[in-house]
Every structure is written in C-alpha cells, then in structure tokens.
Amino acid sequence: MAITKTWEINTLESDVSDGFVYQVVYRVKGMSDSVEKARIVGSIEFTKPDSLPSDFIAFATLDTSTVLGWVQTALNATAKTVSVIETNLEAQVNEVLTPTKAAGVPW
C-alpha cells in the first residue's frame, strides 16, 4: 500500500501595507488509498527586510507552488527538513494502518 504525502498551504499572514508574507502555516497530509490517515501542521516565519527585494512577488499574484517552495527551502535550512517531516508522517500513517500500541483497559 503506497503512502502519499500531500503538501498544502493552510494560510498566510501578511503586512497589509505592502503584502509582505511574514508567516505561512502549512500542512502535510499522509494518504493511503486516497484517505487521509495522518497530518503534520507547522508554520514558518519570515523576517521583513529593510527594503523589499527586486524579485518581490505581490501578495495578490502568489500561488501555492511559490509559497510551498518558500516553506520547503526554509525547512531544509533547519533541522526540520522536508525529509524528516515526510519520514515522521509516513511512520504515523504506518502506525494507523498497522498499530503497534493500544490504549485502554482490558475489562
């Protein structure tokens, strides 16, 4: 059974005056047979520079692909790499599909 990982943008927080995105909330869904079995949610914060760069993208023209690129680049610059997140998510999905732990009482 193949596990797929789907990266999505949950929401953006931005400066209304210039559209600078200072926080991105993302989620990664672990899917098995097209059914979500686990999810990891996180956020990335960006520091606004003194002046906006020449390649600044206006808020209204942002797309999912661009923002996901920012998130994954920022994650790979830290200990929480994309690979670590996806490995943890796959372990969570496997635990749902084939549990190794249980909770409760026997009576």
Side-chain angles (χ1 to χ4, degrees), residues 73-95:
T73 297
L75 287 170
N76 283 332
T78 70
K80 267 193 165 175
T81 65
V82 169
S83 167
V84 169
I85 289 170
E86 289 184 347
T87 298
N88 290 340
L89 183 64
E90 191 164 329
Q92 289 179 28
V93 171
N94 284 327
E95 182 64 26

Side-chain angles (χ1 to χ4, degrees), residues 12-91:
L12 305 175
E13 292 191 26
S14 64
D15 185 327
V16 175
S17 68
D18 58 15
F20 180 83
V21 174
Y22 58 86
Q23 184 177 43
V24 178
V25 178
Y26 65 90
R27 65 180 163 253
V28 190
K29 297 191 302 189
M31 312 287 284
S32 176
D33 294 330
S34 301
V35 177
E36 182 179 339
K37 299 293 184 180
R39 173 185 295 206
I40 293 176
V41 177
S43 66
I44 298 291
E45 292 189 19
F46 298 99
T47 303
K48 188 174 182 178
D50 292 334
S51 61
L52 296 177
S54 60
D55 61 349
F56 180 77
I57 302 170
F59 184 84
T61 62
L62 286 172
D63 58 33
T64 301
S65 177
T66 299
V67 178
L68 281 174
W70 295 348
V71 167
Q72 293 180 345
T73 297
L75 287 170
N76 283 332
T78 70
K80 267 193 165 175
T81 65
V82 169
S83 167
V84 169
I85 289 170
E86 289 184 347
T87 298
N88 290 340
L89 183 64
E90 191 164 329

